[in-house]
Every structure is written in structure tokens, then in C-alpha cells.
Amino acid sequence: MWSVDPRTGKQREQVAVTADGEELDRAVRAAHATLGALADRPARALLLRTAADLLDEARDAVVEAADAETALGPVRLTGELARTTAQLRFFADIVDEGAFLGVRISRPDPATTPPTPDLRRMRIPLGVVAVYAASNFPLAFSVPGGDTASALAAGCPVVVKAHPDHPATSELCAALLRRAAARAGLPTDVVSLVHGFDAGVELIRHPLVAAAGFTGSVRGGRALFDAAAARPVPIPFHGELGSLNPVVVTEAAAEARAEELGAGLAASMTQGQGQFCTKPGFVLAPAGPAGDRFVAALTAAVSETEPGVMLDHRMRDAFVDGVRERAALPGVTAPVTPGAGGEHTVSAGVLTLAAGLLPQGGHAALLEECFGPVTVVARYASREELDAVLALLPGNLTATLQTTDGTADGTEGAADPDAADLLARLTPLAGRILVNGWPTGVAVADAQHHGGPYPATTSPYTSVGGTAVDRWLRPVTYQSTPQALLPPELRD
């Protein structure tokens, strides 16, 4: 396949597609053969740290390759690489610390009914993990990204299906990870890379693949999820598919800081040309004068945004078609018209409508993610209209409440009578709830959760943060087992 420059549409260089089923089978079997070596926790912690070091040393080459294939820009990609290497070191610390193993010990107790034997429980690796790389994060959610890092931390070898938008970047990063494995005294096949649509389909069906992680579209993710469930032995499929990331602006918040909120929303929904999985794509704002000020500020800020390049021309065309379809729906207006900005670019925009139209039907497209720099503002005239729209929303990665009830750092604010109830209404809709902030940006931290109800994800787990490792483990209890036969972590 060809690596393509999205700024020009021109082909750059060729990368070999995984030729056939036999080549894929060899890659998976070679990965499976490394499970014993990965049982050495110090070695895999060293692998993660060495991989981070090698990626840092190759920063200029990695950023140059990724920019040429994604047009995300050196500044954004340098930051993404720093996040990626920090994430690898973060998981190395988790491996060293060991709490992710979930060790539990119940001592023998003859006084219970029935008597309790010696029980020792811990979590063990599932096996080979298939990772499907994301388009919009060529580093942090691709070959060296969170799925790979957390799977290796769990002791699972990884076979990555490269994304076709950045095949050369994927090859470079995979080579660095394999070099890191060799330096850590591990087989290089703890990380393998395959290319091509057919390889991706066959990978999920391979009998030695024990779990999969995916970041991408609802259509592609659901097809792989169904394939994982239809196997003779079904496997866990942890997919991140799509998210609207709704925002509710209360009447009190709009009255207090309409201009600030409009500018903040514009910055968040246009960041990275609207290609963040946490882009706020749907906003409920009041219909009165305060809401007018909010929309005016949003319109002014988005109008000043320059046209930009999306990750590839297929996504550009899908965005142009998607916003055209949405803008043509009854009652929809465009204070700033989104669409084509040029032969290779798109222009950001804002769509608005009365919230009362949504429960009447015919506007389902507005409640689905539109990948790119556009947001929909639904103006509610009453709390009843607001509640009726919230009842229509699908599952999301994030949900945001803009209120006056203070900030997370303890700053006092005027009481907002709707805040507590709306927060309770938003909580079932998403995996991360924000108050007086914007959802773009996902910190790598122990308490992070990057997931949510379907279609945001296909499982209740997170793909970011310390507990992302939980996806690749299963619990086992050893009963009345002699010390010498127990795993080292379970011995007295």
C-alpha cells in the first residue's frame, strides 16, 4: 500500500501489505511463542522503558514521518510523542508496583461452614492481543500507543494492524519497539505489525488471538466486534467506536459567562481539525438572550478559524457530505457554514436548531458523531425540552456540564439550581463527566477513564490510565497449592 500526503493527495512511499493468511499465521504464532518470556515482569518493565527511550531518541524521524502522513503538524505530534513515551514509562511503573495483579489470599479456616481451604487469587495474561491502530493519533493510539503499552504491561504479546493512513510511521515505530525488546532480553516478536484490510479481518479470527483493542469508526468496530463474538471461542473486543460528547450549558452559566463559553467551545471543537475522539459535537444551550450571546461568541471564534487539512481525503469527503446532509435538515441553520475549504482542506462550522424539533423525529443524523470541525447547538426553551433531548442521546466518552457552581479547584461560584440534577442526568451517558471544562485532552493517570456506554465503547473498560491493563488479564485462584508450585507473587 502507499503512504499518502494528505496535504497534496500524492503518494509518498510503498509499504508491503501482509501477503496472505500464512504470513499472518506466522506472525501470530511467533507472538504466542513469546508468552513465556513475557512472564518475566522486570524484563517487560525494562522493555517499556527502553521503548520510550528509543522513541525519544528518534523523535525527529518519528515526527517527520507522522507529519508527512497525517498533516497534524510538528508541534502537535511532538506533544503526542511525549505523551506516548510518558505512557510507556507509566505502565512500566505499574508493572514494577504489581497491584494490577489483584493478589488476594484467603487463609485456611476450619471454623467456617464449609471449611475454607487455602485460596490464592491473582490475574494472569490472556494471551496474544490484536491491536487495531487509530487514524487520528498515529503514535498515542497506534503502534506504540496505550493498547500496546497496557497489553505488554499485562504480559501479552501484541500483533498490531497498522492504520492505512500512516503505514510508514507504523513501520518505524514497530522497528523501535522490536529493538527495545531485544535490548531488554526478550524476543522481538513480542511486537509484530501487519498491514492491509484482509489481514485485519483475519487477525480477529485467528484462534491464538485472545483479545483485541480497537479505535475507529462505529461501522468498522462493530464489524470486528461481531466477528470476535462469532468465533468458535469468542474473545473480548475492547472497541472505541464513536462519541457525540454532549455539552449542557445551563441558563445561569450562559448569563454569567456566555462569551467565555463560546470561545472555549470553539477552541475545543476545532482542535486538531475536530478529529479528536472527545470533540464536543453536540451542545444544549438556552434559547434566550444569554444563549444568543453564547452562540454569537461561538460563531465569531469559529469564523476566525483557518481551513485545515484532515487526516485523509476519504475523511474529508465524508465530512463535507455529512455536514451538507445535516445542514439540509428542516429547521437547521448554519451561523458558520462547515464544508470544503479548498481542494484538500475543510472549513469549520456551527449548526443550530430548536431543541424541541429533535424529539419529533427526522433529525437522527444530528445525534451521531460527525468526524471533523463542526458542532451542533440545540437551543432549549425549557427544562422539559432539555430533558427530552437528553433522553435521546446515545452513550459517549464524555459529557460536560457548564454551570456556575464553582470549579474543580474549589473556586466558589454562584449557586446554580439546575447543576446537581443535570449532573445526575449526564452521568449515565458517559464514562468521563466534566464540570466547567472542555473534553478534548485525556490525561494519562490512575483515575482516568476513557470509555463509556455503547456506541462509545463495546466494553465498560478504559483504554487510557492505569486500569487499561485490566482488559488483558483474567483471574485465577489456586487452591491448596504447595508453595513451590505457586507463582512467585502468591507465595508467603
Side-chain angles (χ1 to χ4, degrees), residues 213-224:
F214 171 91
T215 302
S217 68
V218 173
R219 181 180 178 184
R222 184 54 194 257
L224 290 170

Side-chain angles (χ1 to χ4, degrees), residues 38 40-54 88-89 91-93 95-96 152-153 176-177 179-186:
L38 273 176
D40 184 343
R41 282 201 297 132
R44 63 182 193 256
L46 178 59
L47 159 63
L48 293 166
R49 292 191 177 96
T50 305
D53 292 343
L54 290 178
L88 287 162
R89 296 183 178 102
F91 279 110
D93 292 341
V95 173
D96 284 340
L152 291 172
L176 292 169
L177 263 62
R179 191 184 310 165
R183 290 192 182 180
L186 291 167

Side-chain angles (χ1 to χ4, degrees), residues 257-283:
R257 49 195 180 94
E259 290 74 19
E260 173 194 332
L261 292 173
L265 173 61
S268 183
M269 52 83 59
T270 60
Q271 186 176 3
Q273 296 304 322
Q275 297 174 115
F276 279 52
C277 50
T278 52
K279 179 203 76 174
F282 183 82
V283 183

Side-chain angles (χ1 to χ4, degrees), residues 2-13 60-74 77 138 164-169 309-313:
W2 281 95
S3 168
V4 177
D5 185 341
R7 294 183 176 95
T8 63
K10 293 182 179 180
Q11 296 174 333
R12 297 180 59 255
E13 59 182 284
D60 291 347
V62 171
V63 168
E64 181 181 1
D67 180 50
E69 293 186 309
T70 66
L72 289 173
L77 290 166
D165 277 356
H166 37 81
T169 306
V309 178
M310 293 189 70
L311 292 162
D312 64 31
H313 283 67

